[in-house]
Amino acid sequence: MLIFKKYTQNLPFAYDTSSLFLPWIMMLMVFLASLTMAGSLAVNNMTEHWNSSIAGSLTVQVMPSSVKAAGNMLDNTMAEVDRAVAVLKQAKGIKDVRVLSDAELGKLLEPWLGNIDLQDDIPVPRLIDVKINMAENVDFPKLKDELAKYAPNASLDIHRVWLAKLMSLAATLNFLAWVVMMLALVTTAVTVMYATFTSLEVHRPAIELLHLIGARDAYISLLFSRRTLTFSFGGALVGMLLAIPLIIIIGTMAAGLEGGVLANASLSALQWLLIAALPFAAAILSGFTAFLTVGFKLKRTM
Amino acid sequence: MQKNKASLPNIVEFEDVGLRYGQGPEVLKDIRFSLAPGSFHFLTGESGAGKTSLLSLMYLANSPTRGRLSLFDTDVNEENRKKFPEIRRNIGVVFQDFRLLDHLTAQENVALPLRVMGIKELEIKRHVNELLSWVGLEDHINAKPPTLAGGQKQRVAIARALINRPKLLLADEPTGNVDDRIATRLLRLFIELNKIGTTVVIATHNEGLIERFPFPRIHLSSGRLKILPSAKMSGIK
Ligand SMILES: Nc1ncnc2c1ncn2[C@@H]1O[C@H](COP(=O)(O)OP(=O)(O)OP(=O)(O)O)[C@@H](O)[C@H]1O
Ligand SMILES: [Mg+2]
């Protein structure tokens, strides 16, 4: 803060209302931007976590077909497995479908059933290992419908379907976050522009004097941009500081939610740093906007 | 040496210059004169004759509506606009209405022309305080203009005009608010500056002052200019 003090003292411009309201706008904008950014980063963290949990293989389980059905139960079950495989193979975004062999199944069941022969009439669910292509979006609801139609005893992991839905919601939220950030950015720039126009008008006599004693336009632009930068930074810093406890509270509440779905939302040190950089970015943005505005205006009218 | 003093370019040259404000009448007409380096002139004429207007052309606050004006051998026109700050840095101006910045101290006001040129703060302070003592304001260095008397403000304005040792000094009624003793003292300050090469033009109504010093007069009357010889009455007093 000291470095800013040095530049604001002895400024040839007196204080004016435009310099008073600017910090408030900056505070609000950075407050909003901090919350939005924290939200977006948290959502990103969650989706990343979900992504890795969905990644790789997905398992479809085919329950033994009902005893009431005609014919051999094992044959019926295996026929349903084949139908399920057919459905899975033609679905979009699925890379590989493989039915687990008897040996593999036996291994999986060994802890519970001991060494058994799966060809016997013990009703054991059959498993299909499905590899997903992460680049494509698997239409889980559609897949679920088709499975229900052709292989009613096959079940898709509901949890993952639900996660996929959440992920598309997260993507939407992320997009909204960017829209909000962009709006905050544009609002900041436009606010600074208008504040600068007003300020230029208020300080016209001082500016004229500075010109008459030999100041170049760039000197005046620099004075304005430093002043704007300082005022903006003050407001922006407060905005961020107000947002931080709120982010922490919301974060803690989310972490306490049942199911632990939101447990992976907490921000990393780097992400906190990104939020801490917001007031600096906002101050630099407004200083730069003021510089350009003054340059533009002086060239046009003075 | 081919060049002698007479062949040095003039500091200021007016050629058939006219000035009008907006759509108003011409307040300066057919102005034709030049100022040689190191010259000293009074600028006289009754109120409304156009003294401030003439000076404003020279400190580049207004531009001629016709004719040609050149300062330091540079034509004052749109193409040379980029050179204006450089030209202005060689001109010291005492404005009739002072134009001090009210929220700055006397010291900061006087320092402004140096700041604008990017001179180091440390050097600035010493220079400024020295000059403020010279004009008798050593006790008001940190005073702000609203707390100063008219004559004190005027002297701050004078100090600001002199701070960067201008090649051309334009003073608009610089002794209008001070008593004769201080007026004489200030004029001696201008004369000192003139002795080291500064070209000086002083607009004034002060007949006493004009009669006490042997400088030619630029006289304005209804927008027209005449150069008159010194009004100093030799032999009297
Ligand atoms: N900014 C302006 N806009 C319009 N008219 C102006 C402006 N400044 C001066 N004038 C007019 O130009 C004429 C000359 O004014 P100027 O200020 O040059 O006179 P002056 O000789 O300095 O008078 P004084 O001795 O009272 O200071 C006056 O008629 C005045 O009304
Ligand atoms: Mg005048």
Side-chain angles (χ1 to χ4, degrees):
Chain A
M1 286 306 265
L2 254 173
I3 184 168
F4 290 107
K5 186 127 201 284
K6 188 172 167 240
Y7 288 124
T8 44
Q9 61 187 214
N10 303 335
L11 270 189
F13 307 120
Y15 288 83
D16 60 272
T17 43
S18 64
S19 50
L20 286 179
F21 97 97
L22 192 57
W24 288 97
I25 301 285
M26 294 303 293
M27 188 183 86
L28 189 68
M29 286 304 131
V30 171
F31 179 77
L32 275 178
S34 300
L35 287 183
T36 310
M37 194 175 195
S40 164
L41 288 173
V43 165
N44 266 342
N45 290 350
M46 285 189 273
T47 43
E48 215 145 276
H49 177 79
W50 296 336
N51 235 339
S52 57
S53 73
I54 291 185
S57 60
L58 168 73
T59 309
V60 173
Q61 183 174 267
V62 182
M63 297 305 284
S65 50
S66 158
V67 196
K68 279 177 231 153
N72 183 299
M73 188 168 69
L74 181 64
D75 287 349
N76 284 345
T77 307
M78 292 319 282
E80 193 158 356
V81 166
D82 286 346
R83 287 199 299 278
V85 167
V87 167
L88 287 167
K89 272 195 168 147
Q90 52 82 48
K92 210 172 103 243
I94 284 171
K95 209 156 57 180
D96 190 34
V97 182
R98 192 176 64 84
V99 182
L100 261 65
S101 69
D102 286 356
E104 285 167 305
L105 264 182
K107 250 205 166 105
L108 283 172
L109 296 173
E110 208 182 271
W112 292 279
L113 304 179
N115 222 336
I116 51 155
D117 183 0
L118 290 173
Q119 294 300 325
D120 288 352
D121 263 6
I122 306 168
V124 163
R126 298 279 154 169
L127 298 178
I128 306 169
D129 188 35
V130 182
K131 292 261 188 300
I132 293 172
N133 186 353
M134 293 309 292
E136 278 176 87
N137 266 331
V138 181
D139 189 347
F140 285 107
K142 186 176 165 218
L143 195 57
K144 206 167 150 257
D145 284 351
E146 302 226 309
L147 278 177
K149 199 161 137 202
Y150 297 107
N153 290 313
S155 65
L156 203 61
D157 197 328
I158 289 296
H159 185 59
R160 291 180 187 193
V161 175
W162 185 69
L163 276 184
K165 277 185 182 162
L166 260 191
M167 276 185 50
S168 76
L169 174 69
T172 311
L173 282 179
N174 243 332
F175 174 74
L176 279 180
W178 278 109
V179 170
V180 170
M181 296 282 283
M182 284 299 126
L183 278 178
L185 189 129
V186 170
T187 308
T188 303
V190 171
T191 305
V192 169
M193 234 171 70
Y194 278 93
T196 306
F197 280 145
T198 316
S199 196
L200 278 171
E201 211 43 59
V202 171
H203 298 299
R204 187 184 276 273
I207 291 168
E208 194 184 306
L209 176 80
L210 286 176
H211 270 143
L212 290 181
I213 63 176
R216 291 180 208 284
D217 286 356
Y219 177 83
I220 295 166
S221 299
L222 212 60
L223 285 179
F224 265 98
S225 66
R226 274 179 188 164
R227 198 176 75 125
T228 306
L229 192 139
T230 314
F231 284 144
S232 299
F233 184 71
L237 194 67
V238 173
M240 183 203 64
L241 291 178
L242 286 178
I244 281 181
L246 214 60
I247 294 170
I248 292 175
I249 291 171
I250 295 175
T252 313
M253 276 165 60
L257 273 187
E258 219 134 312
V261 183
L262 304 176
N264 300 289
S266 62
L267 300 178
S268 69
L270 193 75
Q271 290 172 327
W272 277 115
L273 219 63
L274 220 56
I275 292 173
L278 272 178
F280 294 93
I284 289 167
L285 168 75
S286 56
F288 188 63
T289 308
F291 187 87
L292 292 182
T293 308
V294 175
F296 170 83
K297 193 83 177 166
L298 290 184
K299 203 171 273 172
R300 289 289 145 110
T301 56
M302 296 195 184
Chain B
M1 280 277 192
Q2 284 292 78
K3 268 192 175 173
N4 56 21
K5 201 176 174 179
S7 74
L8 279 177
N10 285 321
I11 299 288
V12 176
E13 254 180 46
F14 281 80
E15 274 176 36
D16 301 320
V17 167
L19 172 70
R20 64 169 84 241
Y21 292 103
Q23 298 299 312
E26 231 176 18
V27 296
L28 293 173
K29 304 179 186 92
D30 304 323
I31 304 296
R32 198 177 305 126
F33 79 102
S34 57
L35 295 176
S39 59
F40 196 122
H41 288 87
F42 284 122
L43 174 57
T44 58
E46 58 192 39
S47 180
K51 301 183 293 297
T52 301
S53 302
L54 186 72
L55 292 175
S56 76
L57 288 173
M58 290 192 261
Y59 56 73
L60 300 174
N62 287 310
S63 15
T65 36
R66 65 181 171 93
R68 194 181 73 93
L69 166 61
S70 90
L71 295 166
F72 306 105
D73 240 7
T74 305
D75 275 13
V76 174
N77 54 32
E78 269 312 303
E79 289 104 86
N80 285 332
R81 210 176 175 78
K82 280 220 157 67
K83 296 181 186 160
F84 285 8
E86 207 48 60
I87 294 175
R88 283 163 171 153
R89 287 173 189 195
N90 287 304
I91 303 175
V93 187
V94 182
F95 300 97
Q96 192 167 11
D97 51 358
F98 318 139
R99 301 209 196 172
L100 301 174
L101 299 181
D102 281 348
H103 64 286
L104 297 184
T105 64
Q107 188 188 51
E108 288 163 351
N109 266 291
V110 174
L112 220 47
L114 299 180
R115 284 236 174 87
V116 158
M117 293 198 292
I119 290 172
K120 292 251 183 333
E121 289 296 311
L122 268 159
E123 292 168 54
I124 290 179
K125 253 191 190 132
R126 200 169 47 78
H127 271 80
V128 168
N129 291 351
E130 213 170 291
L131 190 56
L132 279 171
S133 305
W134 244 95
V135 296
L137 289 175
E138 61 274 20
D139 296 334
H140 298 90
I141 282 171
N142 291 314
K144 295 192 174 171
T147 70
L148 292 173
Q152 292 171 326
K153 280 190 244 187
Q154 192 150 44
R155 281 178 281 161
V156 174
I158 290 172
R160 187 183 61 195
L162 302 186
I163 191 68
N164 55 358
R165 299 241 184 121
K167 293 200 181 94
L168 173 63
L169 177 73
L170 305 171
D172 203 348
E173 296 281 356
T175 59
N177 293 274
V178 293
D179 60 39
D180 257 15
R181 194 182 55 80
I182 294 180
T184 307
R185 189 185 142 90
L186 288 175
L187 208 71
R188 293 207 186 283
L189 186 62
F190 296 151
I191 292 170
E192 284 305 312
L193 202 70
N194 177 245
K195 276 184 186 153
I196 59 170
T198 298
T199 306
V200 179
V201 179
I202 296 174
T204 184
H205 285 296
N206 190 329
E207 294 293 332
L209 219 55
I210 295 167
E211 285 169 11
R212 226 173 303 138
F213 293 92
F215 302 120
R217 285 169 291 162
I218 300 168
H219 186 76
L220 282 171
S221 148
S222 47
R224 293 187 186 275
L225 182 146
K226 258 189 303 195
I227 304 282
L228 301 175
S230 157
K232 184 178 179 184
M233 315 265 184
S234 44
I236 306 174
K237 281 182 198 169

